[in-house]
Amino acid sequence: MIATPLVVNASTSFAFDGVKQVLISVGTGTVCLASGVSLALMKRAEKRAPPRSEPPHGALIRLTAP
């Protein structure tokens, strides 16, 4: 998600000129920065979140007394 806007941003200088290049570069730059910020915030939230108390995947849960 971060690499694609960077590649598009770099290639716009070869394909477009003037205002069109600036608009595309600003758009792809914004997407790239927003992706980086959201990934960093998600990683930070993961570190702060308490560990899950769910049973391991595939474990059977007994809901009634034996």
Side-chain angles (χ1 to χ4, degrees), residues 3-61:
T4 304
L6 288 176
V7 171
V8 171
N9 207 355
S11 65
T12 57
S13 61
F14 301 114
F16 301 105
D17 288 328
V19 175
K20 207 179 244 187
Q21 177 192 357
V22 171
L23 291 175
I24 293 171
S25 294
V26 167
T28 56
T30 302
V31 168
C32 185
L33 289 174
S35 297
V37 168
S38 65
L39 285 173
L41 291 175
M42 286 173 39
K43 188 70 171 175
R44 177 182 262 181
E46 250 180 39
K47 286 182 180 179
R48 289 184 182 178
R52 292 182 176 184
S53 60
E54 298 173 3
H57 182 68
L60 295 175
I61 301 172

